[in-house]
Amino acid sequence: MKKMIKLSLVAAVAVAGLSTSAVAGSLENAVKNTDLSGYLRLRVNTTHSQATEASSVNNEQKAVLNFKSKVNDSVTANMKFVAVGGSKSDSLNFNQANFIVAGGAYTAIVGKQTAQSPFVANNGDTVATGATVLVPAGPVTIAAAHYDDATSSAPGTLTLDGKTPTTTGAVTVTALAVIGKFGPVSAELWAAATANTDHTAILASANVGPVSVSAHHATTDVDNATSVNDDISNTQLVVSGKAGAASVFAAYATTGQDSGNVTIDNDTDSKLIFALEGAADTRVGDVDAMVVGASAKIASVKAGIIYMDGEAGTTSFDE
């Protein structure tokens, strides 16, 4: 159970970094205990709106550099740098500076880190300063987190309800989760709160032979004068697997009448919704979207094709 939780939360949060204390010993030991990893990604999106017969092209570049260094058998120090550029914005961010402490009965991440919950964007750029603690409790693990300043590293206004900017800069977030594995099914139940917003989410995933299935449903309840009646929710189902040498997948997403953005960091948590927002150049609600795709590795090159079709209210998009 503890291993599963580390994979789903800790490894995704801060399994990379560097600490000057790691070089207290010999240079050989310092190099031996320090890992360097990262990646460079270029994405180009071409969209076409059937409603306006207009097309647009936008691009995104992202580079991530991770350092990890063991301080001792119980403590690991971490640092992470993220550079983002393209059509929308350019930024260089110092996203992590923290320690991971393995205390036997618990695992804690203390310092600057990625805010953990389903209510942050998939790109993992929501930076927070605080603590995340994982405590095994029988067949489940309880995850608790408190961040004094969770902010999106992307330039712009932090939007809590996906529509109306209500807070800029930092926001305090408290989150609690129960996570477990029951047979082939892994499940998570989450709740999080900011000053005027409550989030809830349930996630489940399973592997059935060569097929992987995952699903989630998340809602946001904003308590302010402009958004008290908003219908903000996001439901997704993803199926993926192997077909010979190719990897194939299909996904479906639907959102509430007003918005599908249930995040705290001014960025969507669904690639399907992100694609539709790129086509419409605005936030969208009342969405039904599906995507299918396949990829294969040829020698050292990975190639793939993706097709998406969706509808936001009465407007249809495809790409």
Side-chain angles (χ1 to χ4, degrees):
M1 177 59 65
K2 184 176 180 181
K3 182 179 180 182
M4 184 276 291
I5 296 305
K6 282 188 176 182
L7 288 175
S8 64
L9 290 176
V10 177
V13 180
V15 191
L18 176 68
S19 170
T20 54
S21 62
V23 298
S26 66
L27 178 61
E28 179 182 0
N29 289 333
V31 173
K32 186 184 303 181
N33 289 327
T34 302
D35 295 326
L36 173 65
S37 63
Y39 65 87
L40 175 65
R41 183 182 72 198
L42 170 64
R43 175 183 293 160
V44 179
N45 295 324
T46 300
T47 61
H48 175 71
S49 171
Q50 293 178 347
T52 62
E53 294 298 326
S55 299
S56 64
V57 177
N58 60 73
N59 64 82
E60 174 191 311
Q61 305 97 43
K62 183 176 181 180
V64 176
L65 186 61
N66 300 289
F67 295 91
K68 177 181 73 173
S69 181
K70 289 185 65 176
V71 178
N72 54 44
D73 290 340
S74 301
V75 180
T76 301
N78 304 272
M79 290 179 70
K80 178 180 178 181
F81 297 89
V82 178
V84 178
S87 301
K88 292 189 175 182
S89 62
D90 296 295
S91 61
L92 176 63
N93 305 288
F94 182 32
N95 278 26
Q96 291 185 17
N98 59 66
F99 293 98
I100 299 176
V101 182
Y106 68 90
T107 299
I109 306 167
V110 181
K112 190 173 185 178
Q113 58 190 277
T114 301
Q116 274 303 290
S117 82
F119 316 113
V120 298
N122 281 337
N123 58 20
D125 292 342
T126 301
V127 180
T129 301
T132 301
V133 180
L134 308 172
V135 181
V140 301
T141 293
I142 298 173
H146 180 80
Y147 310 119
D148 288 329
D149 57 345
T151 63
S152 174
S153 62
T157 300
L158 181 68
T159 304
L160 297 182
D161 61 0
K163 291 172 47 182
T164 306
T166 56
T167 304
T168 58
V171 58
T172 298
V173 180
T174 301
L176 182 67
V178 178
I179 303 167
K181 188 172 178 65
F182 311 94
V185 178
S186 297
E188 303 180 20
L189 179 63
W190 280 85
T194 62
N196 65 339
T197 309
D198 295 321
H199 305 270
T200 58
I202 183 169
L203 301 86
S205 61
N207 293 323
V208 183
V211 178
S212 296
V213 180
S214 64
H216 87 231
H217 175 71
T219 63
T220 292
D221 180 16
V222 183
D223 184 16
N224 63 40
T226 61
S227 304
V228 67
N229 295 318
D230 279 355
D231 176 14
I232 304 173
S233 64
N234 193 314
T235 303
Q236 298 180 54
L237 174 66
V238 180
V239 180
S240 61
K242 297 281 289 186
S247 298
V248 297
F249 71 93
Y252 170 78
T254 183
T255 75
Q257 184 73 29
D258 297 298
S259 178
N261 185 359
V262 295
T263 64
I264 63 172
D265 59 353
N266 196 28
D267 199 359
T268 181
D269 66 346
S270 166
K271 294 179 181 178
L272 276 68
I273 311 305
F274 174 82
L276 285 179
E277 288 180 354
D281 198 29
T282 186
R283 296 199 177 279
V284 292
D286 195 17
V287 169
D288 281 294
M290 58 82 63
V291 62
V292 293
S295 63
K297 190 172 183 180
I298 306 172
S300 58
V301 177
K302 186 176 181 180
I305 184 170
I306 296 175
Y307 173 77
M308 189 201 75
D309 184 79
E311 189 172 270
T314 59
T315 304
S316 298
F317 305 94
D318 63 77
E319 68 174 77

